[in-house]
Amino acid sequence: MDISYILQNTIIYGSMAFVLASVFSQHKYLNFSVGAFMIWIAYIMQSIFQNGFSLFHIVYLGCIAGVFYFLDYFVYKSFTHRYTRELFGLIFTLGFTFFLVNSLFFVYGPQPISIERESISYFGLTSLLILIAGSIYFIYRYTCIGKVSRANHENEHVISTLSLGSRSIHGIHMTLSFLLLICVAYVITADLSLFPDDNVFYLLKAIGVMIIVGVARLEYMFIGALAYVCIEHILFINLSLPLFFKEAFILIVILAVLLIRPEGLFQTINRKI
Amino acid sequence: MSIEFLFHLSISAIIFFVICSGFKFFLKIASILDFSYIGVVIFAAYFGFYLNIEYGFGLLGCILLSFLASIPILLFLLYVSSKLEGVYFLIGTLAIYMLILKMATGLESITGGVFGLSIASQHIIGNLSFGGIQSFMMWYTLFFVGVSVGLWYIRHSFFYSVLQGWGENVSCLKSIGYRVNIYKLCMILITACLASIGGNMYGYYNAYIDPGSFWLVLLNLILIISFISYKFQSIGTLLCAFFIILSYEYVRFFKFVDPAQIGYMREMLFGCIVMGSAYIVFKYTKLGREL
């Protein structure tokens, strides 16, 4: 078994699934542009490794964070009706993905880019995974932030009526999400090439892990990602199934889980979806 | 602007009118976005090409047979729609659309993979073939008239009133005693018919299809045309499609950008139009409420 493949992909899919589920559980829409943001940050990371870290990169990352926050804020504030926000959020972020991916092609060109730098060691990957997954598990299981966050997913109006700081919760979610996207970009630039169209590839896996685990169970995203990556490794590397089925496999898993247990495998409450 | 270019724009507008009419059907009745509809368009196009290459079927035969072949997908979609609502239905239909797209890329022996398929012969039925662009214009205008008349008839029928009631309140409809699943199935069959017509018209006119042409570019255009023409019926949708495709082609000739990058700039611009049109439609129209 290729341990670095498993660790790397667990970090990538688990983090992106967390970001997606975080936005969905708090603001009730699927942010289609998460993959595109991650690729955008990865291009900045590539520039940092090639040219060294500078004030320009800090400002640039700050601008990306600003766009990330603003996009979410705009979708949330535009519509109060949940169903309209769900629909609008997906389409708006889909349009933003078209814009962002093509702007990356416009700036960086159509060829994949890879940088020569040292791969992250097993120890580094394991430490990073334990640190991220452990922190998120601790925050969402044992702290007040996690409990309020889960309650906010159930009913945001009750939480804001009780003045339990739903805005702060949301701010914490967005900050954690952005930091995780930076981690994912760091991991991706280590061993993989960058290509703007890859955003959909990573996004699909993240949606799959989010659906498998269940939207409200943010603390289990990395466990779900680990399980999925192990199964993928067994099927496509050990058993050598055709590689094109890799993306088709996650789509079949998404449909199967949605139809059999739509609340997710880790969800404790049965809900009509 | 030459007459051939005008014909090309008109034919493309008619193709997108047919495709977007089906996409808007769900949207207008129940404010549901059904991405699997685009999957059926792709399936119909590929199936039509397969029939043309292997068995020499013409456009009309391909439309009919691809509609019949897409029935299993429709039945699956009916099952999905009974189990899922809201964003989960969106994710489910998005997964169906992308699964069909991945199959089109992966099943190289049938679909040609990333290299796509070229049509064997562009003919309508039997020995009646498309002579040139004027012939395409004539036949596709007939398709436009047929689809417009069909949609007008459906919109003014009792069946459509029941569908509007379904979009408004399903429980109320069930209480009255209507068999909602039958009406839903009929609606899905109508949209599949439009998808089969649109997909085969698209493939036959271009004489070539590949998975790349059905991904972002087509999705972009379908979303923009559907949203901008949301309030319009047949002629309005056709005119919207015409002007959007005209803009799409016109941007190609912008001089202040490197020609190799024109395509990316065009997609950036149309990405912004998707965002803007979605905001306006959702904010200022009663989306999905035609009552």
Side-chain angles (χ1 to χ4, degrees):
Chain A
M1 261 208 169
D2 186 352
I3 303 294
S4 69
Y5 170 91
I6 291 173
L7 291 171
Q8 203 171 42
N9 285 307
T10 304
I11 293 170
I12 294 169
Y13 302 155
S15 302
M16 287 189 64
F18 174 88
V19 174
L20 271 176
S22 165
V23 172
F24 188 85
S25 69
Q26 299 304 307
H27 282 173
K28 310 289 185 285
Y29 75 94
L30 187 70
N31 188 340
F32 205 84
S33 60
V34 165
F37 271 108
M38 186 274 291
I39 295 285
W40 192 9
I41 296 169
Y43 273 100
I44 307 304
M45 202 64 66
Q46 178 243 350
S47 167
I48 291 172
F49 282 113
Q50 274 189 335
N51 307 317
F53 193 69
S54 69
L55 182 64
F56 166 74
H57 294 116
I58 298 173
V59 171
Y60 201 164
L61 281 171
C63 291
I64 298 174
V67 172
F68 186 62
Y69 276 83
F70 175 72
L71 195 69
D72 181 72
Y73 179 80
F74 180 77
V75 171
Y76 179 64
K77 282 295 178 186
S78 296
F79 300 97
T80 49
H81 188 246
R82 176 181 167 160
Y83 187 66
T84 314
R85 195 195 299 155
E86 279 175 0
L87 219 51
F88 172 71
L90 180 69
I91 298 299
F92 194 79
T93 52
L94 186 65
F96 185 78
T97 304
F98 292 150
F99 172 79
L100 186 53
V101 165
N102 283 284
S103 62
L104 290 173
F105 273 123
F106 189 82
V107 171
Y108 295 103
Q111 301 304 323
I113 296 173
S114 57
I115 55 166
E116 285 177 19
R117 72 172 180 100
E118 273 183 42
S119 302
I120 308 173
S121 62
Y122 288 144
F123 176 73
L125 284 171
T126 313
S127 311
L128 190 60
L129 178 60
I130 292 171
L131 178 68
I132 296 173
S135 312
I136 286 171
Y137 188 82
F138 177 77
I139 290 169
Y140 283 91
R141 285 290 278 188
Y142 299 110
T143 65
C144 188
I145 293 167
K147 291 174 187 173
V148 173
S149 169
R150 270 189 279 162
N152 201 39
H153 169 70
E154 291 298 329
N155 195 322
E156 59 185 330
H157 300 296
V158 168
I159 298 302
S160 51
T161 307
L162 293 171
S163 303
L164 285 175
S166 59
R167 274 193 205 169
S168 323
I169 297 291
H170 179 63
I172 291 166
H173 272 274
M174 294 304 286
T175 308
L176 265 175
S177 300
F178 193 74
L179 290 172
L180 279 176
L181 288 179
I182 292 175
C183 289
V184 172
Y186 174 74
V187 169
I188 278 180
T189 49
D191 275 325
L192 304 165
S193 58
L194 293 179
F195 190 60
D197 266 351
D198 286 344
N199 80 91
V200 177
F201 170 78
Y202 293 114
L203 183 73
L204 281 178
K205 301 294 175 80
I207 292 173
V209 171
M210 184 183 79
I211 296 290
I212 290 167
V213 171
V215 167
R217 308 297 278 182
L218 294 166
E219 66 270 28
Y220 293 122
M221 287 297 162
F222 286 90
I223 298 173
L226 181 63
Y228 176 76
V229 171
C230 289
I231 293 170
E232 197 183 64
H233 190 280
I234 291 167
L235 288 176
F236 297 101
I237 295 173
N238 294 57
L239 296 178
S240 303
L241 287 182
L243 278 177
F244 102 85
F245 277 122
K246 234 180 170 180
E247 288 183 42
F249 176 62
I250 188 62
L251 295 165
I252 294 167
V253 166
I254 289 171
L255 283 169
V257 174
L258 280 176
L259 294 173
I260 296 167
R261 193 173 158 81
E263 61 272 16
L265 302 178
F266 288 70
Q267 197 68 285
T268 51
I269 304 168
N270 283 324
R271 50 184 84 245
K272 184 180 183 303
I273 290 166
Chain B
M1 198 187 288
S2 67
I3 193 78
E4 278 86 16
F5 186 63
L6 204 60
F7 278 166
H8 164 70
L9 289 177
S10 307
I11 290 164
S12 302
I14 291 169
I15 293 167
F16 277 96
F17 157 75
V18 174
I19 295 174
C20 295
S21 296
F23 192 71
K24 281 197 311 181
F25 215 81
F26 263 101
L27 189 61
K28 288 187 108 173
I29 286 170
S31 60
I32 296 173
L33 276 172
D34 177 15
F35 288 104
S36 64
Y37 170 82
I38 307 173
V40 180
V41 170
I42 299 169
F43 175 82
Y46 270 99
F47 196 77
F49 264 51
Y50 174 76
L51 291 173
N52 180 269
I53 293 166
E54 295 291 324
Y55 304 106
F57 276 94
L59 177 60
L60 293 178
C62 289
I63 288 172
L64 177 65
L65 291 172
S66 33
F67 167 67
L68 293 173
S70 65
I71 286 176
I73 305 175
L74 310 177
L75 293 174
F76 181 67
L77 180 62
L78 185 68
Y79 175 64
V80 168
S81 68
S82 66
K83 293 279 267 181
L84 304 173
E85 286 178 1
V87 78
Y88 293 95
F89 178 76
L90 281 177
I91 295 171
T93 56
L94 195 61
I96 294 171
Y97 160 48
M98 298 197 74
L99 190 59
I100 293 173
L101 200 59
K102 291 302 163 200
M103 291 294 176
T105 315
L107 298 173
E108 281 180 25
S109 55
I110 302 169
T111 64
V114 292
F115 301 108
L117 292 174
S118 294
I119 205 163
S121 66
Q122 286 173 311
H123 63 281
I124 301 151
I125 191 165
N127 291 326
L128 191 62
S129 63
F130 288 107
I133 199 162
Q134 294 91 344
S135 176
F136 269 106
M137 185 70 215
M138 186 191 78
W139 281 101
Y140 280 27
T141 307
L142 287 175
F143 275 113
F144 165 70
V145 170
V147 168
S148 303
V149 167
L151 287 174
W152 182 90
Y153 184 76
I154 289 167
R155 272 195 298 273
H156 290 83
S157 67
F158 179 71
F159 165 74
Y160 195 73
S161 310
V162 175
L163 287 179
Q164 286 177 316
W166 168 73
E168 196 62 44
N169 193 322
V170 182
S171 316
C172 184
L173 219 56
K174 282 181 182 172
S175 308
I176 298 171
Y178 284 107
R179 296 174 70 177
V180 169
N181 280 338
I182 303 282
Y183 282 91
K184 227 196 288 186
L185 178 64
C186 292
M187 181 169 65
I188 291 171
L189 286 172
I190 291 168
T191 54
C193 187
L194 290 167
S196 296
I197 296 171
N200 280 288
M201 282 171 73
Y202 180 86
Y204 263 74
Y205 177 60
N206 291 297
Y208 169 76
I209 48 171
D210 71 318
S213 56
F214 289 113
W215 178 216
L216 290 177
V217 172
L218 190 80
L219 184 58
N220 220 353
L221 283 173
I222 289 172
L223 286 173
I224 293 171
I225 295 170
S226 299
F227 284 130
I228 292 179
S229 67
Y230 179 74
K231 277 293 189 188
F232 304 129
Q233 307 298 352
S234 301
I235 301 289
T237 307
L238 182 71
L239 288 172
C240 280
F242 182 87
F243 285 110
I244 288 164
I245 290 164
L246 175 64
S247 317
Y248 194 76
E249 297 286 347
Y250 181 71
V251 172
R252 211 195 284 268
F253 304 109
F254 274 6
K255 294 275 189 279
F256 56 86
V257 179
D258 185 356
Q261 296 186 306
I262 272 284
Y264 304 132
M265 205 205 75
R266 186 169 61 175
E267 295 307 320
M268 282 163 65
L269 179 64
F270 276 75
C272 294
I273 295 174
V274 168
M275 290 193 279
S277 56
Y279 181 76
I280 291 168
V281 164
F282 280 83
K283 198 77 171 171
Y284 300 111
T285 65
K286 285 192 288 184
L287 189 77
R289 294 292 179 260
E290 290 211 309
L291 292 172

